């Protein structure tokens, strides 16, 4: 006749089951939105409004070869944008767009200086732009 497990055996079995659950969670489980993720959060997020015809420029101080990840979106209508850089007698245009509602990607500094975005609202109503950034840069500055 089998005897009932002792309190120590029951506790040990519970610990094994718990460690199996942890192993199952950490072994290839895909996380859904709202769960813990290893992806770092945005370092900075700015939101600004542009009246019809108004523009704004935001730039990052960056060393040559540094990479910043970005995402921006406009609410109220699309915007025109110019992603560019300047500094030390250098200037570069990375990308331009007209009537674009959002963009995301990586900005790699071609040289040490200021690199970022100029946004202009060509709509007949106010537009709000939300810019999110993370990565290897010094500071985010509003230029105008």
């Amino acid at each position: 006749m089998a005897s009932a497990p002792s309190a120590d055996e029951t506790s040990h079995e519970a610990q094994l089951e718990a460690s199996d659950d942890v192993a199952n969670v950490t072994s290839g489980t895909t996380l859904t939105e709202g769960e813990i993720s290893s992806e770092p959060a945005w370092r900075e997020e700015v939101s600004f409004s542009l009246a019809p015809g108004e523009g704004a420029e935001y730039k990052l101080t960056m060393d040559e070869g540094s990479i910043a990840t970005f995402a921006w979106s406009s609410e109220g209508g699309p915007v025109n944008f110019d992603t560019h850089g300047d500094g030390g007698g250098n200037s570069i245009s990375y990308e331009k767009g007209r009537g674009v509602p959002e963009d995301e990607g990586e900005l790699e500094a071609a040289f040490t200086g200021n690199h970022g975005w100029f946004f202009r609202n060509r709509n007949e109503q106010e537009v709000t732009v939300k810019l999110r950034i993370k990565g290897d840069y010094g500071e985010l500055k509003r230029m105008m």
Side-chain angles (χ1 to χ4, degrees), residues 77-130:
V79 294
N80 295 352
F81 75 94
D82 179 1
T83 307
H84 61 280
D86 60 70
N90 297 308
S91 65
I92 188 170
S93 179
Y94 295 107
E95 183 180 9
K96 293 181 180 184
R98 292 188 181 275
V100 180
E102 62 186 27
D103 193 22
E104 64 181 51
E106 289 185 336
L107 177 57
E108 182 174 352
F111 48 83
T112 297
N114 298 308
H115 302 269
W117 305 264
F118 176 78
F119 299 97
R120 180 162 316 271
N121 177 8
R122 292 294 188 194
N123 300 287
E124 294 182 10
Q125 69 279 347
E126 185 174 274
V127 171
T128 300
V129 177
K130 183 181 200 178

Side-chain angles (χ1 to χ4, degrees), residues 5-50:
S6 70
D8 286 343
E9 290 172 329
T10 303
S11 174
H12 181 69
E13 286 175 14
Q15 287 174 349
L16 287 175
E17 287 176 18
S19 65
D20 286 346
D21 290 343
V22 170
N24 289 339
V25 168
T26 58
S27 62
T29 301
T30 302
L31 300 174
T32 59
E33 189 172 65
E35 292 182 299
I36 297 172
S37 171
S38 62
E39 181 67 25
W42 294 104
R43 178 172 155 187
E44 295 190 72
E45 185 173 299
V46 293
S47 184
F48 53 94
S49 295
L50 298 173

Side-chain angles (χ1 to χ4, degrees), residues 43-44 57-63 66-70 83-86 106-109 111-117 131-143:
R43 178 172 155 187
E44 295 190 72
E57 184 173 32
Y58 282 86
K59 287 191 175 172
L60 306 171
T61 58
M62 299 177 75
D63 292 328
S66 296
I67 298 174
T69 301
F70 70 90
T83 307
H84 61 280
D86 60 70
E106 289 185 336
L107 177 57
E108 182 174 352
F111 48 83
T112 297
N114 298 308
H115 302 269
W117 305 264
L131 174 62
R132 298 175 294 171
I133 308 159
K134 63 183 174 184
D136 189 15
Y137 64 93
E139 65 177 314
L140 171 65
K141 305 183 285 187
R142 182 166 181 159
M143 307 303 282

